[in-house]
Amino acid sequence: MPEVIFTGPAGRIEGRYQPAKEKGAPIAIILHPHPQFGGTMNNQIVYNLYYDFVKRGFAVLRFNFRGVGRSQGTFDHGQGELSDAAAALDWAQAMNPDARACWIAGVSFGAWIGMQLLMRRPEIEGFISIAAMANRYDFSFLAPCPSSGLFVHGSEDRVAPVRDVVSVIEKVKTQKGVKLEHAVVEGANHFFDGKVDELMVAVDEYLDKRLGAVEAAEQA
């Protein structure tokens, strides 16, 4: 899990990067929760997502948005953070010029940033959006959504209730060739306290369906 530093729009960005073992492997970028509410790249869900994509053979990058950890700059209410995410994808692509495709995964605030990046980068072919705050941020730009993906929510999420995400999905799920799926983790709050394992089961089931199950030999 090598530490990396790359240049973003506001200066230095701190990240953790795991290169792929095979040439041409896809890229995954993992985006952390809200910087002003304790969100960092070391968030437990971000950490689990990172290693989930690593075990599937991806080249994986997670990083701190501007103003978090050793990343330079200050919080920019989403606009600057979207630029940070674009810079992260640019860096990962420069490290993996033969990459076939890219996935984006985000948690809470990071899910909102990830979906905006998805709209701007046609090479992103799949996404995982966890605890997307559809009640606090405008997701109307997802019309149409260019790629299929998964939304995951906790049934007891009081920060971003499930019903608000469902209404977003209902507006875009009928777009041709794109399928948006939704999983609910029973009993989980916005932070999936005590429910991260159940969350990752839902993520794995979806990725197994989209990418194929990880070979048992690779996990041995």
Side-chain angles (χ1 to χ4, degrees):
M1 187 178 61
E3 178 179 320
V4 294
I5 298 289
F6 57 93
T7 303
R12 181 183 66 233
I13 293 180
E14 172 191 21
R16 298 289 185 275
Y17 172 68
Q18 182 64 50
K21 293 179 180 178
E22 295 186 10
K23 187 176 181 179
I27 296 166
I29 308 293
I30 318 296
L31 306 176
H32 70 70
H34 204 297
Q36 294 192 314
F37 296 96
T40 79
M41 67 175 174
N42 295 320
N43 168 274
Q44 186 180 11
I45 299 172
V46 171
Y47 185 88
N48 276 273
L49 288 168
Y50 178 89
Y51 280 104
D52 208 26
F53 279 101
V54 166
K55 79 177 183 182
R56 292 172 184 276
F58 281 65
V60 192
L61 173 67
R62 71 184 201 267
F63 67 95
N64 281 328
F65 286 124
R66 58 185 61 198
V68 177
R70 294 197 294 146
S71 292
Q72 294 177 319
T74 56
F75 180 66
D76 195 33
H77 305 281
Q79 186 170 347
E81 287 74 19
L82 176 57
S83 296
D84 293 344
L89 180 53
D90 289 342
W91 181 87
Q93 288 177 324
M95 296 293 289
N96 299 273
D98 299 315
R100 300 187 302 273
C102 175
W103 278 64
I104 198 88
V107 183
S108 190
F109 172 85
W112 179 55
I113 299 299
M115 298 308 289
Q116 292 179 78
L117 186 64
L118 176 78
M119 295 297 292
R120 291 163 169 76
R121 304 293 285 262
E123 67 269 32
I124 298 176
E125 67 173 27
F127 68 86
I128 305 291
S129 283
I130 296 172
M133 297 197 290
N135 58 328
R136 301 193 179 202
Y137 295 112
D138 183 9
F139 279 80
S140 62
F141 57 82
L142 291 175
C145 179
S147 302
S148 299
L150 173 69
F151 288 91
V152 189
H153 250 70
S155 66
E156 304 307 310
D157 191 333
R158 302 286 182 253
V159 177
V162 173
R163 65 177 179 273
D164 295 308
V165 180
V166 171
S167 70
V168 167
I169 295 172
E170 289 296 331
K171 292 176 183 175
V172 296
K173 68 188 301 184
T174 56
Q175 298 297 329
K176 185 178 179 181
V178 170
K179 187 174 182 181
L180 304 186
E181 299 193 29
H182 187 222
V184 176
V185 177
E186 289 301 323
N189 62 16
H190 187 67
F191 308 101
F192 291 86
D193 291 326
K195 296 287 184 178
V196 173
D197 288 346
E198 290 91 331
L199 164 64
M200 295 312 299
V201 167
V203 171
D204 274 328
E205 287 177 352
Y206 181 75
L207 292 177
D208 285 348
K209 186 165 57 174
R210 285 285 302 272
L211 303 171
V214 179
E215 293 295 331
E218 294 179 1
Q219 299 185 42

